[in-house]
Amino acid sequence: MNGSQRIPILKVGRVLVVPVQVDMDDQTVIGLQERILSELERTGARGVLIDISLLEMVDSFIGRMLSDIAAMARIMDARTVVVGIQPAVAITLVELGLELRGVDTVLNVDEGIKLLRAEFGAYGADDDEDDEFQGEWHSFGESRHHA
Amino acid sequence: MESRAITLESEHDIVVARGEVRAMAVALGFRLIDQTRLATVASELARNIVKYAGRGQVIAQPARHADGREGLRLIFEDSGGGIPNIEAAMRDGFSTGRGLGQGLPGSRRLAHEFEIESSAERGTRVTVVRWI
Amino acid sequence: MPSSTKTQISGRVVELLSARRDEILNIWIKERLESEDFRDELISKHELRQQSQQIVEMLARALQESDGSDFDHPSFDELRGFLNEISRQRAVKGYTPSENATYILSLRNVVLPILAEDFEGDTVTLVREMDHFTRLLDRMGLVMVENFIRSREEIIRQQRADMLELSTPVIKVWDKILTLPIIGTLDSRRAQMMTEALLQRIVDTGSTVAILDITGVRTMDTLVANHLIKTVTAARLMGARCILTGVSPSIAQTMVQLGIDLTEITTRAQMSDGIRLALEMIGRKVVSAAALSHLRANGATPPAQKTEQTKSES
């Protein structure tokens, strides 16, 4: 049995969202990597958001998996964003000598979606009205309105 | 607090080892960042044993520094074939297996004390200590 | 002669101290108030009186209960505890160590004349009793001094911890922008605390940019530089970018001479440049009000907003 089945891979728009909420053994890590790649192929998603904000530890094995997924997904024309690395985990990774080069990292899912949207419009080509700059001008107009 | 010995022979044991080590670090009053460092060291060095020696064990024991500080000592032992070139193995990026080669040098940076003995006859023993 | 290591105050002295304790107290307080050591800015007369009264009473009681025994006797525990407490208070208030010890030792000047009066004619006994009593007072003085020093060390430790905390103020200057002004000398411990404080604030505030300002850093060496690089890398792993500002020419020189590679760290000379860049990184820009109204007058607002603005202006 593959332990990685416990970790859901959700498709939201053109993005695969992967919330990792359990401590993974090495087989689970390898299984997850394979499942993400085959889901990318099956769905044609353009981005992968891996949320590890609940992970209390990232060792070199998991770190390497994150780098590998990013590199492999890039070949499949998808961008990988790792979300929510905790302060203690970040410091430990640096001391361990892992800098996760080539992996985009963001604070939270919001920032991740924003990043992917800037890249290709995370929810598909047909929702351009949700564009970030429109949003900015909108609030600008409103504050003026109140003045 | 009692010492604990954890047998390492499968990948699942790596998860058990880092979980046990973290629990002991919590009980000893280590801060979150140090709990994370110790759990990570346990994971790295336990994996080395499972991967290269096949089986071995880790002993986790409370320690006391000469200056009175408390700490946690982790002893990783196996009777595998030993590490032929320790100096090279301690360098960043060196690996003979499917790792990134961060295990040993990274663990040394995460601990306050780090000791390694290895021979083809008696296997390998890595001792690390982190003080509170 | 009794053993010189053990104090044994005779029953007669015990009785004497107990019977005349009010008199002893009054003379002692009078002597204290008149002495140059009395610091009325640190202790009120009322408080001094209360403390002294308790000491005299506890001493008389302990001597009676222990039958004139040594200071190590359990009967003196109450007095010992009280002396500890007074010393701690005095350390907090800012007494000097000698002022603290003088207080208790000055009891000798009060008690010895009383002893001399009582034992008039019997010099041998008087000298022995004076010796015993002095020894007892010395032990009390020692307790005061030891605890005073211990309390002071505790205070210094506490202040050092406070300073460490104060010295790493992470300030939110704008939505999603933090600044960390680093001042003074960065030792390993402080650098570590700084990193942890910054990373935690990044999570708490959801900030994506952090400005590390080293204008106030006196010396740069490999240790400090490595800590900066480590902080920047850890922040990046969490999803925040760092900007290093306030690099003085001499620190820039040192860094190059030390062979420290900062090419991966964004640097700006001034903190203000750093803030400008940080705003750009979160998609904001500071422009002059005149330029903005000029832009607006020329219809630079996006078409989608135009109707609404016309409405609000009319």
Side-chain angles (χ1 to χ4, degrees):
Chain A
M1 203 196 85
N2 187 344
S4 84
Q5 298 293 343
R6 280 178 301 160
I7 300 165
I9 299 179
L10 316 164
K11 186 166 182 292
V12 183
R14 298 163 74 181
V15 178
L16 297 180
V17 179
V18 188
V20 180
Q21 299 176 330
V22 288
D23 192 5
M24 300 179 284
D25 67 24
D26 293 1
Q27 277 312 309
T28 307
V29 172
I30 294 166
L32 182 64
Q33 178 174 321
E34 282 164 4
R35 278 179 60 223
I36 289 174
L37 293 177
S38 65
E39 279 301 289
L40 266 183
E41 189 194 16
R42 195 179 66 80
T43 61
R46 298 284 313 280
V48 183
L49 267 186
I50 306 176
D51 183 349
I52 59 166
S53 52
L54 289 174
L55 276 196
E56 292 183 315
M57 185 223 63
V58 172
D59 63 7
S60 60
F61 197 83
I62 299 172
R64 182 186 147 108
M65 181 240 350
L66 296 173
S67 294
D68 284 357
I69 290 177
M72 293 168 187
R74 201 174 298 119
I75 299 172
M76 297 172 73
D77 197 23
R79 187 155 173 194
T80 305
V81 179
V82 172
V83 179
I85 295 182
Q86 292 301 304
V89 175
I91 293 174
T92 306
L93 275 173
V94 175
E95 287 173 357
L96 200 55
L98 290 177
E99 298 184 7
L100 302 188
R101 282 172 194 279
V103 180
D104 285 306
T105 47
V106 293
L107 273 181
N108 47 47
V109 175
D110 271 359
E111 296 287 341
I113 295 286
K114 208 189 279 178
L115 183 78
L116 291 176
R117 200 192 285 166
E119 181 102 326
F120 56 80
Y123 296 120
D126 53 355
D127 54 359
D128 273 351
E129 73 273 10
D130 203 13
D131 182 64
E132 176 67 12
F133 286 100
Q134 295 277 358
E136 292 287 303
W137 279 106
H138 200 77
S139 59
F140 173 76
E142 270 170 3
S143 65
R144 221 180 151 276
H145 188 83
H146 292 303
Chain B
M1 192 182 302
E2 303 256 321
S3 296
R4 272 195 46 54
I6 301 149
T7 307
L8 303 168
E9 46 190 12
S10 74
E11 279 182 349
H12 181 67
D13 295 333
I14 303 171
V15 179
V16 173
R18 66 190 181 214
E20 288 285 340
V21 165
R22 180 183 285 272
M24 273 182 93
V26 172
L28 282 165
F30 276 99
R31 298 180 315 138
L32 176 66
I33 169 83
D34 288 334
Q35 296 165 20
T36 310
R37 287 181 173 121
L38 282 161
T40 309
V41 168
S43 191
E44 296 296 333
L45 298 180
R47 181 176 295 106
N48 275 359
I49 289 183
V50 172
K51 228 176 230 166
Y52 299 115
R55 63 163 298 160
Q57 66 166 355
V58 53
I59 300 165
Q61 56 184 216
R64 188 174 280 277
H65 195 272
D67 69 9
R69 275 186 299 168
E70 286 193 282
L72 184 58
R73 176 179 291 114
L74 305 173
I75 304 162
F76 299 82
E77 303 172 315
D78 67 62
S79 39
I83 304 168
N85 187 346
I86 292 187
E87 216 173 288
M90 288 308 300
R91 269 203 304 274
D92 272 313
F94 179 89
S95 175
T96 56
R98 194 183 167 271
L100 267 183
Q102 295 311 132
L104 285 176
S107 298
R108 176 158 68 179
R109 280 191 294 269
L110 290 171
H112 287 130
E113 285 172 27
F114 185 97
E115 230 179 74
I116 181 164
E117 307 154 66
S118 186
S119 72
E121 300 77 35
R122 278 172 296 132
T124 304
R125 175 208 277 258
V126 182
T127 307
V128 298
V129 187
R130 185 153 186 111
W131 305 108
I132 286 182
Chain C
M1 282 286 283
S3 150
S4 61
T5 53
K6 205 87 174 145
T7 311
Q8 190 72 48
I9 290 176
S10 71
R12 184 169 157 197
V13 173
V14 172
E15 282 310 311
L16 182 70
L17 289 177
S18 185
R20 296 177 70 172
R21 63 173 187 267
D22 287 346
E23 186 188 345
I24 292 172
L25 176 65
N26 286 333
I27 302 174
W28 191 23
I29 290 169
K30 188 163 176 287
E31 196 256 8
R32 283 287 83 200
L33 292 180
E34 284 166 5
S35 95
E36 286 173 4
D37 299 337
F38 180 63
R39 311 254 306 253
D40 58 359
E41 79 275 20
L42 297 182
I43 189 168
S44 69
K45 287 178 187 176
H46 175 71
E47 203 181 337
L48 177 71
R49 186 169 184 90
Q50 268 193 331
Q51 281 181 4
S52 309
Q53 182 172 6
Q54 272 182 282
I55 290 173
V56 172
E57 274 170 10
M58 283 179 187
L59 176 63
R61 194 157 55 234
L63 280 169
Q64 248 171 350
E65 280 171 16
S66 66
D67 209 10
S69 175
D70 192 75
F71 191 63
D72 294 323
H73 194 277
S75 299
F76 285 91
D77 286 353
E78 189 193 17
L79 177 62
R80 200 177 296 116
F82 187 66
L83 294 178
N84 277 336
E85 178 53 26
I86 295 181
S87 302
R88 198 189 59 76
Q89 285 173 10
R90 290 179 172 230
V92 173
K93 283 178 178 167
Y95 277 81
T96 68
S98 71
E99 280 169 342
N100 184 48
T102 310
Y103 167 63
I104 202 77
L105 294 177
S106 67
L107 192 52
R108 178 186 356 224
N109 307 341
V110 182
V111 173
L112 293 195
I114 292 180
L115 290 183
E117 189 188 312
D118 203 72
F119 286 94
E120 209 181 340
D122 186 356
T123 320
V124 178
T125 318
L126 174 64
V127 169
R128 196 179 63 220
E129 291 298 336
M130 274 166 66
D131 180 47
H132 288 162
F133 188 75
T134 307
R135 273 169 207 258
L136 182 63
L137 270 188
D138 286 346
R139 291 290 304 274
M140 289 167 67
L142 223 61
V143 167
M144 298 274 291
V145 170
E146 269 174 16
N147 206 58
F148 185 85
I149 292 169
R150 204 175 307 129
S151 302
R152 278 251 290 239
E153 280 168 356
E154 181 55 40
I155 291 166
I156 291 168
R157 237 193 319 275
Q158 184 59 47
Q159 283 173 342
R160 196 182 297 146
D162 290 349
M163 258 170 60
L164 267 177
E165 217 159 282
L166 282 176
S167 62
T168 51
V170 185
I171 304 155
K172 181 175 169 177
V173 286
W174 198 268
D175 189 34
K176 295 182 185 224
I177 302 176
L178 296 177
T179 58
L180 173 63
I182 308 167
I183 294 159
T185 314
L186 264 191
D187 60 17
S188 204
R189 204 171 111 76
R190 219 189 123 200
Q192 222 168 343
M193 277 198 58
M194 184 195 84
T195 306
E196 288 172 32
L198 177 70
L199 298 189
Q200 192 53 50
R201 282 281 281 169
I202 287 175
V203 179
D204 295 346
T205 59
S207 298
T208 53
V209 187
I211 301 167
L212 310 180
D213 184 75
I214 58 168
T215 308
V217 171
R218 255 169 276 151
T219 47
M220 176 60 63
D221 53 23
T222 7
L223 182 95
V224 175
N226 283 336
H227 266 296
L228 287 175
I229 293 170
K230 192 172 140 185
T231 306
V232 171
T233 313
R236 184 186 67 77
L237 285 176
M238 289 175 57
R241 309 289 172 264
C242 291
I243 303 168
L244 190 66
T245 64
V247 186
S248 68
S250 74
I251 282 186
Q253 268 179 319
T254 315
M255 293 222 240
V256 172
Q257 280 158 4
L258 288 172
I260 296 158
D261 181 17
L262 288 184
T263 46
E264 290 198 15
I265 298 181
T266 312
T267 54
R268 286 292 181 272
Q270 308 283 330
M271 168 85 119
S272 53
D273 301 328
I275 292 178
R276 189 171 300 128
L277 175 63
L279 284 167
E280 274 169 30
M281 285 162 84
I282 61 163
R284 302 281 197 284
K285 199 167 174 61
V286 180
V287 293
S288 76
L292 188 62
S293 59
H294 181 75
L295 272 174
R296 241 190 255 146
N298 286 309
T301 30
Q305 299 298 318
K306 251 191 174 159
T307 44
E308 201 189 327
Q309 277 182 22
T310 327
K311 235 188 298 172
S312 67
E313 272 162 15
S314 59

